[in-house]
Amino acid sequence: MKKLTLEDLKKIKEKTQAELEMRSPEGKDKIVVHMGTCGIAAGARETLLAILDEIEKRGLKNVVVTQAGCIGLCEYEPLISVQKVGGPKVLYKYVTPEKARKIIAQHVVNGQVVSEDVLSTE
Amino acid sequence: MPERAHILLCAGAACISAGEESFKSALERELKEAGIYDEVKIIETGCFGTCDLGPVMAIYPEGTFYVKLKPQDAKEIVNEHLLKGRIVERLLVKEPEQKQALPTINDLPFFKNQVRIALRNVGFIDPLNIEEYIARDGYSALAKVLTQMSPEDVISEVKKSGLRGRGGAGFPTGLKWELGRKASGTEKYVVCNADEGDPGAFMDRSIMEGDPHSVIEGMLIGGYAIGAKKGFVYIRAEYPLAIKRLTSALEQARNYGLLGDNILGTDFSFDIEIRIGAGAFVCGEETALIASIEGKRGMPRPRPPFPVNSGLWGKPTVINNVETWANIPPIIINGADWFASYGTEKSKGTKVFALAGKINMTGLIEVPMGITLREVVYNIGGGIPNGKKFKAVQIGGPAGGCIPAEYLDTPIDYESITALGAIMGSGGLIVMDEDNCMVDVAKFFLSFTQDESCGKCVPCRVGTKRMLEILDKITKGEGTEEDLVELEQLAYTVRNTSLCGLGKGAPNPVLTTLKYFRDEYLAHIRDKKCPAKVCTALIHYEVIREECRKCSICFRNCPVGAIYKDEDGTYVIDQSKCTKCGICFQVCPFKAIKKE
């Protein structure tokens, strides 16, 4: 391997810092995918994978994706909630992979809530 | 596929001993079975510090902290937490009193009350991945000194930070570097003293296992500052994992050109070699360490000349301890003022301590200097187990001293601890409760140093032996009050006349216990009683006839056949055969055996 220059050191730092972002979840936008048995049966895994894929495609660094269990609204599954830093927590219903991509583009990136899919806002 | 979770699995020596490896393979198997192996990343990190709870892991982005993991827990974690997002409550840490589960790593008082500078990356990054170190500002300090700072600037920054040697003596690091820089000679060396040998101390091992690059970077900066091209890490053979990780870190640093010629395109060249010691305690003393690296028998020599003027092969040599080196990069990046904002007037920054003994959270912590012993023992360490009473804390290893309960509010800094007759030492903190006999504790530490005495100077070789004989006599109930006078005199003589720190420090446990627990010595001498019921010659076991249910458990478990049945079937201990092992006392289900 060739010797590092100052420039290389900076590049490695930036690249790996992005990978380590996950370990400091404070101050980031949060997407929670509800993945109880009901959610999984309704296709929450596909939704989750679509969300991860969309985040990677867009190179979003300030977003963490976590899961949660059933919240008792099984009828509306797959459910996801999106909370931008400092913003309200918005719960979306019937989130198919396509809708998930749209929510990321519109809500997470541009800050516009996708109102037709909202179930409730906290 | 981007990863959606990072699993930080502690792979410090304590967690490995507790079964981390078999848990990891179970976890990998379950992840594959569930089909999500590619979605999560497992990172084996250095020591989290919560050694009592091992194996431990943290799952990010939530930061959920799971403890005491067994291979059979892997399935539940994968199916519940990673698939369904439900926290597995039973594997969380429980708050001792409230019994409330603490879900994330930041909820634990153990972590909340720490300030981690030397341990900044330990338990957070993969120690075998140099790029994770670089991401956390790693080698930025080196880049800064090589491109923006003169060696004199570096030295003055370190001086200004107030950093003092973390190996025990507390010599100002910047001053040592300055002496090294000014020493005449073109060939100079830097050495990392990783010969950590205090019983119950594992600060340096954890840094080398968890963040070896921080030590390497510290040494590079030290080498640049004093004008050395070569460094040595002197590490004991008992630390195989630390040696392995350090070796691989050195290799990576060489591959990246961070060690070797013309580092980062500058004209600075530097390399580091590991020298493995055979584990003699005295080799932590700098002149003995030098002799050992040179291939000679590890024995100290009189100082001066000090190693900064005449060290390895007679050349100027700056020796610092592991933790000291690990503190250097953050000082350079964040500045001396930032570092000096932690700690007290004369003791700046933080100190890593290894908590051991009778304390709920045994493990590794880093706290600002000036914090009180009480905060460390109770707020971070979680207090004394089983509702027992705190008695004393041995600080500074076998050359340190016992500090009793009335001084629990003493701030931890070099001067305050020395004023009490103990030493800061390398950072071992051994907590003792009411069940510890202080004469026995003094005997334990002295027998360690006596055993490790190299034998070169008479006070240490003969003096510690005589002291140990007196302690032995006292614990057998054969001591006299004159013995105490002689013990104290001998202790002062050994302390004042020994050649090196080993002999000078060896009497400290005896002197401090004599000072703070003289009544316990007198109970052994006058009443022939060991108040803590530890010294076997002064205790005996007896069956309480009224309580005995004749179940025969004591009889069956006695290893020397000292228990027999009398006419009515009650068991009796034959005192002439009893070896006082205490097994009958432990196994009796009806507490019908008393210890007196």
Side-chain angles (χ1 to χ4, degrees):
Chain A
M1 168 158 188
K2 88 171 178 53
K3 280 194 180 167
L4 284 196
T5 61
L6 286 170
E7 201 45 45
D8 301 331
L9 194 66
K10 221 171 123 194
K11 269 186 212 149
I12 293 176
K13 185 170 163 181
E14 276 161 16
K15 183 190 92 183
T16 321
Q17 242 167 9
E19 288 169 22
L20 295 191
E21 281 293 323
M22 189 179 296
R23 296 177 213 170
S24 24
E26 295 84 15
K28 299 209 172 99
D29 300 338
K30 259 187 208 138
I31 303 177
V32 180
V33 184
H34 291 262
M35 293 190 70
T37 307
C38 46
I40 294 173
R45 270 208 50 85
E46 287 71 29
T47 305
L48 172 72
L49 296 178
I51 290 171
L52 293 170
D53 182 57
E54 195 64 25
I55 287 173
E56 198 195 23
K57 264 193 207 154
R58 293 172 175 271
L60 302 179
K61 288 195 182 107
N62 208 37
V63 183
V64 292
V65 181
T66 63
Q67 303 114 283
C70 169
I71 50 165
L73 297 164
C74 315
E75 182 185 339
Y76 297 105
E77 295 282 2
L79 283 162
I80 74 167
S81 67
V82 175
Q83 185 169 26
K84 298 271 293 172
V85 175
K89 190 164 150 190
V90 181
L91 192 62
Y92 288 102
K93 60 188 175 182
Y94 305 128
V95 185
T96 57
E98 295 69 44
K99 276 192 190 169
R101 290 181 198 275
K102 186 175 163 198
I103 290 167
I104 288 177
Q106 208 173 311
H107 186 172
V108 179
V109 178
N110 293 320
Q112 301 295 319
V113 175
V114 187
S115 36
E116 66 267 29
D117 295 322
V118 172
L119 181 64
S120 71
T121 305
E122 268 175 43
Chain B
M1 179 80 219
E3 288 133 3
R4 62 179 172 87
H6 283 188
I7 298 179
L8 267 55
L9 192 54
C10 176
C15 280
I16 290 180
S17 317
E20 179 266 338
E21 283 165 331
S22 52
F23 175 77
K24 186 189 168 209
S25 33
L27 185 65
E28 284 174 332
R29 194 176 59 237
E30 295 298 336
L31 287 171
K32 280 177 194 151
E33 190 135 306
I36 55 169
Y37 185 74
D38 298 329
E39 296 170 25
V40 302
K41 184 174 180 186
I42 299 177
I43 301 108
E44 288 187 279
T45 70
C47 181
F48 277 55
T50 51
C51 306
D52 198 43
L53 302 173
V56 301
M57 70 175 187
I59 301 184
Y60 285 92
E62 302 92 326
T64 313
F65 187 54
Y66 290 126
V67 301
K68 295 194 177 170
L69 299 163
K70 295 192 183 59
Q72 54 267 35
D73 298 329
K75 196 179 186 80
E76 194 176 342
I77 291 170
V78 170
N79 289 339
E80 290 297 307
H81 187 127
L82 291 165
L83 271 177
K84 297 180 188 159
R86 286 199 286 240
I87 289 174
V88 185
E89 291 248 355
R90 67 177 184 87
L91 296 172
L92 299 174
V93 183
K94 310 276 184 306
E95 183 96 68
E97 271 123 55
Q98 290 99 352
K99 302 274 172 216
Q100 209 184 349
L102 301 167
T104 77
I105 195 155
N106 297 322
D107 293 327
L108 263 71
F110 182 83
F111 291 109
K112 263 197 291 204
N113 296 314
Q114 295 194 44
V115 175
R116 293 164 80 97
I117 296 175
L119 298 179
R120 61 199 178 279
N121 293 324
V122 178
F124 196 82
I125 62 165
D126 177 357
L128 297 177
N129 184 344
I130 189 172
E131 302 202 348
E132 289 202 358
Y133 179 73
I134 292 172
R136 302 263 294 167
D137 283 336
Y139 293 106
S140 301
L142 175 71
K144 185 175 171 186
V145 302
L146 292 184
T147 54
Q148 299 165 33
M149 292 170 87
S150 71
E152 287 76 14
D153 292 342
V154 177
I155 289 171
S156 90
E157 197 69 16
V158 175
K159 271 175 89 171
K160 215 170 105 199
S161 76
L163 176 66
R164 294 168 65 176
R166 296 293 191 248
F171 191 82
T173 306
L175 183 60
K176 193 186 263 187
W177 288 17
E178 188 174 54
L179 293 169
R181 170 119 202 124
K182 285 181 181 156
S184 55
T186 47
E187 208 176 320
K188 294 179 182 177
Y189 298 103
V190 295
V191 172
C192 172
N193 184 348
D195 193 58
E196 180 179 54
D198 292 355
F202 47 93
M203 299 74 56
D204 296 346
R205 171 169 62 74
S206 298
I207 294 174
M208 288 181 293
E209 285 175 7
D211 194 18
H213 286 287
S214 68
V215 179
I216 297 173
E217 189 179 4
M219 290 178 73
L220 275 156
I221 294 167
Y224 173 75
I226 70 153
K229 284 193 166 60
K230 177 106 194 163
F232 290 92
V233 180
Y234 185 81
I235 182 170
R236 47 183 43 223
E238 287 102 323
Y239 282 178
L241 186 63
I243 294 172
K244 196 175 125 193
R245 297 215 176 130
L246 191 63
T247 308
S248 103
L250 286 173
E251 213 166 292
Q252 281 179 42
R254 254 176 236 127
N255 285 341
Y256 278 72
L258 293 164
L259 283 173
D261 293 332
N262 302 103
I263 293 165
L264 292 171
T266 65
D267 54 8
F268 176 62
S269 303
F270 190 82
D271 210 342
I272 296 174
E273 247 183 68
I274 295 180
R275 288 294 163 99
I276 297 172
F281 184 63
V282 73
C283 288
E285 196 283 334
E286 57 182 12
T287 58
L289 182 150
I290 287 170
S292 182
I293 291 183
E294 288 173 350
K296 298 178 191 140
R297 183 170 171 177
M299 278 193 177
R301 62 156 176 81
R303 295 175 302 180
F306 287 92
V308 279
N309 293 312
S310 175
L312 274 173
W313 299 288
K315 311 279 190 241
T317 304
V318 165
I319 304 177
N320 284 132
N321 141 284
V322 173
E323 191 186 329
T324 315
W325 288 121
N327 269 307
I328 298 294
I331 290 176
I332 298 294
I333 293 177
N334 303 314
D337 294 334
W338 164 82
F339 186 79
S341 71
Y342 295 102
T344 65
E345 197 199 333
K346 287 180 173 171
S347 304
K348 300 294 185 194
T350 55
K351 178 78 194 85
V352 183
F353 287 101
L355 298 181
K358 308 280 182 61
I359 188 159
N360 273 315
M361 295 286 270
T362 52
L364 198 72
I365 58 160
E366 182 170 353
V367 288
M369 295 271 194
I371 192 172
T372 64
L373 283 166
R374 186 185 302 280
E375 286 171 87
V376 169
V377 173
Y378 288 95
N379 299 1
I380 299 177
I384 316 298
N386 309 319
K388 297 274 183 181
K389 231 178 97 197
F390 172 89
K391 189 175 202 173
V393 56
Q394 168 81 15
I395 174 163
C402 280
I403 297 179
E406 60 257 43
Y407 294 107
L408 263 177
D409 291 309
T410 305
I412 303 180
D413 61 64
Y414 291 98
E415 281 72 24
S416 306
I417 298 296
T418 311
L420 293 176
I423 57 165
M424 178 77 86
S426 58
L429 274 181
I430 300 176
V431 179
M432 283 160 282
D433 69 3
E434 52 190 295
D435 291 340
N436 286 96
C437 164
M438 300 315 286
V439 185
D440 184 65
V441 165
K443 194 174 107 177
F444 167 78
F445 284 114
L446 191 67
S447 64
F448 176 85
T449 34
Q450 211 292 308
D451 207 36
E452 293 288 350
S453 172
C454 79
K456 184 168 179 173
C457 73
V458 178
C460 180
R461 184 182 70 233
V462 184
T464 56
K465 186 90 183 161
R466 293 291 94 84
M467 285 172 68
L468 192 57
E469 284 165 3
I470 295 173
L471 286 176
D472 202 46
K473 227 174 118 185
I474 295 172
T475 55
K476 283 188 177 141
E478 296 160 4
T480 63
E481 290 188 38
E482 292 75 63
D483 283 336
L484 278 192
V485 177
E486 197 185 341
L487 181 64
E488 212 157 5
Q489 272 175 358
L490 261 171
Y492 283 117
T493 310
V494 172
R495 188 165 84 173
N496 295 336
T497 58
S498 290
L499 173 60
C500 82
L502 195 157
K504 286 189 209 300
N508 286 341
V510 176
L511 286 167
T512 49
T513 49
L514 271 173
K515 184 168 161 194
Y516 301 120
F517 298 97
R518 189 173 278 267
D519 53 329
E520 283 197 35
Y521 281 86
L522 291 172
H524 285 74
I525 293 169
R526 290 184 190 155
D527 313 331
K528 311 290 173 210
K529 283 253 160 33
C530 174
K533 295 175 188 168
V534 171
C535 298
T536 49
L538 301 177
I539 53 166
H540 71 281
Y541 292 92
E542 244 177 77
V543 178
I544 310 165
R545 290 190 72 86
E546 310 78 67
E547 302 288 330
C548 178
R549 311 278 179 92
K550 304 166 189 176
C551 71
S552 84
I553 287 180
C554 59
F555 170 78
R556 281 179 283 136
N557 282 284
C558 178
V560 292
I563 296 178
Y564 63 92
K565 213 191 306 192
D566 70 3
E567 309 83 59
D568 65 352
T570 312
Y571 287 92
V572 181
I573 301 172
D574 181 347
Q575 299 296 335
S576 65
K577 285 186 187 163
C578 176
T579 57
K580 296 165 187 172
C581 66
I583 289 178
C584 55
F585 182 75
Q586 283 163 18
V587 297
C588 177
F590 312 109
K591 295 194 172 24
I593 297 193
K594 64 176 174 183
K595 176 157 87 164
E596 274 189 342

